[in-house]
Amino acid sequence: MDRSLLNTHAKLVARDIHCLTQSPTEPNSFSLVGGSAFVSHVETVGTIVSRDLTPKFLKFDVDDGTGCVTCILWLNQLSSSYFSRWDPATILLLTRAARKQAAKIRIGAVARVRGRVGSYRGVMQITATVVVVERDPNAEILHWLECLRLRPSYRIQS
Amino acid sequence: MENVTILTIKELVNKGRAVTGASSLFSSAASHSYSESSSKNPNSRPASFDSDLSCKFLAPLNHPAVIVGTIALPSKTLICPNRYCFRFSDGDLTICCDILRFEIRAIGSKICVLSWNFLPMKHCGGFLEIIKWKFVDTVNLLSRCSGIGSFPLFPSLFPLRNDDRKSRYSVHGVLESISPVSVVSCMDGESSDSVNLPGFLVHVMACECKTYSQNAIGCSHAFEKSVFVYFCGLVVTSWHPAIRKLVGRDVALSGLKKKMIYVRGDSLLVFVTTESSVLHPPCLSRKQLVAKTVVDRRGNCGSYLGFVKGVYLKGKLVEMDEDVWLLLTDQLLNRSHSIRTGSLIFIRNVHFVNTKFSWGEVLILGACFKTSITVEFFSPFETSCLVDSCRQTSLNRFMESLSFPARFWTLLVRSCFQKFNEIPSDKEILRSCQKDELTKMYAESQIPSFMFQPRGGIFTEFCMHESCGCNSEAHDCNLNLVMPISSFVQHYKVMLNELLSQINKNSSANNCLSHSSSTWKRDNHTNTKTLGSDDIGVILLGKLKISSSGRLQLHDRTSSIDVLTPDLLSDRNAHRIFEVSDYNLIMEGLPESMLHMPFLHNSLRCRNVVNPTPLAIENTLTVRFSLSLGTGSCKQVYGHHSLDWRHDLNEFKGGMFHLFRVTHKFPMLKKGHPGMPDCTSVFVEAIVLPLELICSVTEEDAAAPYFGEHDTSQEIRPHKRCKTNNGLQRERALSVPHEISCQMTIRCASSHCLVSAATLSNLKEKKSGNMLSAKRVLLEFIPECSNYYQALQIGGCYLMKHGTNDSFCAGRSGISNNDKISFRPETRLWSVEFSFDEDLTHDGSVDVYPLVSSQPSLVEKQHVSNPQPCSDVSLLLPYDAKGLFSIFLKNLEELNKPFAAGKNNNNISCCTHLETIMQAEPSQAPPSNSLFPEGNLASFRGDVVTVDAVTSSVIDVSSSYCINVLVNHHIVKIFGPLRRHSYLTGFGPGASATFYRILGTGEENRFVLTSASFVKINSRKASDGRQLEKPAHQAALCLPKVTPQEDVPCMLAGPACNSFSGNKDQQIKSACKVLSVYLLVLQTRSDDPSENECRNNFDIPLAGFVVDDGSSIYLCWTSGERAFTILRLHEELPEEDIDVAQWTRRDSSRETSAYHLEQIVRVHKRIVMKCNGSQIDILFRDITVAVTSDQLLTKSEDTFLKWLILNAITGPIWELAASSMDRKMIEHLEREQCVEMETSRLNLQNVWGDEVCQVDPLVRAWSLLQGLLKS
């Protein structure tokens, strides 16, 4: 098992993300199609096609032309027990950062999403850590080309 | 009126407060006066007074009050410096006064002053300004008015002698002008003694009718005949203030006699007052008001009405409107107390001189003897009264002989000299060279002869005004403005601010602001603009001093400015005032957008010269100003020649001097720099020559100095015979003869020379009289002596007087090699240069006269030493001594120079023991495992092309700057921590600099500045910043620069790490994002408070970022501008991100994160933040922040620092050029920054980020596509 990519945000297109298979031994690791490399974090770029805001999170779909990936951006830092021992000022800072990102996520915008990949009810989804709305329309094309360029590194078999 | 208090003068004087009062509180006379001024000058802006002058209004009394008293003509009972003031007396006390709506009949009458201003004065208790008044005794008044209407000029106690036939003439007409009171010396008929008789002239345009009758006034007279009346005698002269009030009105005088006077050979009929003369003023009802036209000009003379905006230099200079200045320089002129800031004055018969100076156009109102000034409305402000000093100084006399523009210029100079308040602490200069004297001497040297004008005396100038040349001023003036330093800097600050606001306006209109991170540069000291003194047209005067931070500064009382000078006289008299006329003004740290904008040509305001109060401008720019002086441009303003001269000669008389040459100066490093010890001393390496100079200046030389105008004018005096050693020729070629006679030219600061004979002797070194006896020593300069350190130049030779207490002799029997010698503050040094004369050779014969034979003007001087155009002493040596001295005076600027002009110049051919001493460093270091950098030392001179903020590590020295230097048409790169060197004023593109002892890296044309390297700035070229457009610079400054042609290596992923480890020197490029900020070191950039004011003053010496390029994660270390870019510090601080209440925007231009971070760093000096998590969700779980200050980090500061990390993580994709880092480099960085980098903890590959810029998606996509298609 090649773990060299585990902490890297693998640049993948939606189709490849959906083809990830969960590692039988490590639930947070996913192997790429036909390869021996495992990833846990991914980066994708696409157009936001749906947006569903709940008090705890924002769910949105990113379509990059090869498929659509569901992304979750958590907004529950203030109430989550995960942060209960954190410094309140830091929690507030993280909350503000998340909400600021959430405000920018609008349908039609091109966004670069980085986050942890996971499987929810059998479908791959990204728990976003950073969402950057791209202003340059070439960003999407660049992402495709980067994905193509990096495929050999990920040992993805076409 | 029932409740009105009657105040006494005594009450007012005793209170000693400036007050205004009125009989009724609801009709304030003062303010009423202002609103009344219907026909005022359209150019004058009274409304702007408050903002411009910030004057305080006179405090009003809180109850209605009047003053009752009598107006009287001036008399000797009240001594007023202004001499001819009205008096006001309430029976108890008498004070000076001035009165509006004056009537002759008020004199001697009891009046009730209804509204008034009172101003306390030192001289005579106070000054009363009578605004509204009325007669108390109206019954008597009626009888006076109806009955007489005429006022005898002599009081009635003198018997009237109407029968005198001579005094039968009368004059009646319009009073045109009045002269000041002057004194005529004449013979007293009775005692035949000479008496001084005061008197004044009036000019009346009279009617030619023979007889005068009371009823004729105002009738159909033709006032066409020009008549002069002389008011003669002490009693009559006291009418001067009253007659002055009547200028412009019609008057009649009777009882006059005729006199024929001779003015410049022409006869002129003048009426003279007699004891029976009577003044018939205009009747009250028929009073003619003066037409208050602003500019009423006839020829060059005219009238001007305007508000006084400022009174300067004891009333000699009065500021009227913008660039309108009234000159009251003639000592005789009567200056009224009521000419105060804020008063409305009407100036009659004043010269209008529109002068074009090099700095701008000024309207000068030149007052002559015909000028009269009346105050139309008193100033409502509490401004001081004008008190004439009555002192006739030589400067006053000098000024009176000048044309008006030259007078104006001299007054400006005088106000600049005023800025040297503390001049005379030095015993020699103080007595004679007072400010006035200095001003006079300086002005005399500057003002061309055609600007002087002969004066003809009061009679000539008054009576023959048009023909005496009084109005023939030169209107163009090439004199340069002399400015106080603060006003000078302020002017350019204001100009830059205006330019910036203009740029901001334009850019917001065009919406063309690009990404802020790509346009802003931390190292914007490279953004330099230079203005030459020819374009500026300003002369600066100041004293030179070394600031606490080791900078040479020109300073006056107002401010100081950094100075870069190629030559500095070793003249340590800190009280000497220098004139700087040939210079370049360097403005460092301009925003890039400003570089390509033409500078605004704001004319310099004279107001700033006489009143250098800094305007409250919004200081949005942090620009540093410095002056680069041309060679020999720093001239001393004349001091007292003979005193200076004698002092210098006494020093030389029969003295013995050590001779040493500075071979290296160890730089003054910034204090408090991390990793550097706080070193208070500075060191100079010197070679002590085995020769001593014995000077033969005698008493006779000292007694008869020659003051030459120029340095070339030397005086040849008969010299004593100087013996040369008989066995000279038997010595070996490189050995030192025991004595060498030479000619010594001593040049003093006051630019004159004395030539004398001298002998170079090595008597002390008899036993070992060869080259080996030259000793290398280390001179230590304690901070008190840092100005000596500054004045010493590498390569320069110096004389030090030999004595028991000199630095070389005190406490030691002799000097040994490598001695450390403390320089003693009392030691005096003179710079010395050597020249060799081909006509002078030692032929070995006895009793030769080696030097008298040749005239210095014919001598072909050949400078062997470093050219020092301003050396104090010049030694002319025989030609055969050249070989000997060429070893001592070897060029220090050509050591291991790259691209040497000649073939064999790379290695210095003459390799002696001395050279080994001087070099003292291994020329070829054997490979070793030393921690310190190794390589050959080099010294060379070159022109700085760019200074790039490229961080790279060159042979273990992490460098934040790369200096591209043009040496012999080739570019040489010099890396190094430039910011440590605290002396680099004016360094930057355009500077010609000499780099001493810089370390060769082994790579071709790459050198490294070490902490022992010294950079000398020789000169600066005026540059307009065009060199910044060069691509090398652009790349360095992180501007997007990837060209579509550039191939991006495709195989970066994963194996990128391997490529680093495999190939050490390979630089890779990748597009990556920031995952976390691993380590961040923030610190203040300098401890110099002067820098703090004007620079973005913090630095990031080290930052570690966890970056991810999609295939691997690595730890990217970087510093400086690259760290600023990755942290997005130049971007606007988003309001919604954090609670910015505590980071409130005080100023819209200070809204960047960098600005707020600077506030935190300024408090804590140095902040080290470590963040252990590499992913955002665990990012802040283990974060440590350490500060060096005693203060704790506040919550808000802590939050802000964390927000910085978040902000970096959500940044764009960066294109990063990085090179690998090995263990050695990491250790070096740790040592340098005093931090533990803990690189092993994350188990990531370490790289050093050389360049970073934001990815241009299109450019990169093209490159990727081409790469993919190829593969």
Side-chain angles (χ1 to χ4, degrees), chain A residues 9 43 90 100 146 153-154, chain B residues 1053 1073 1108 1110 1137 1202 1260:
Chain A
H9 288 78
E43 176 180 311
T90 311
K100 185 190 165 194
E146 291 275 12
S153 327
Y154 303 151
Chain B
K1073 56 201 168 270
D1108 178 0
D1137 269 15
K1202 284 175 179 166
R1260 185 166 170 85

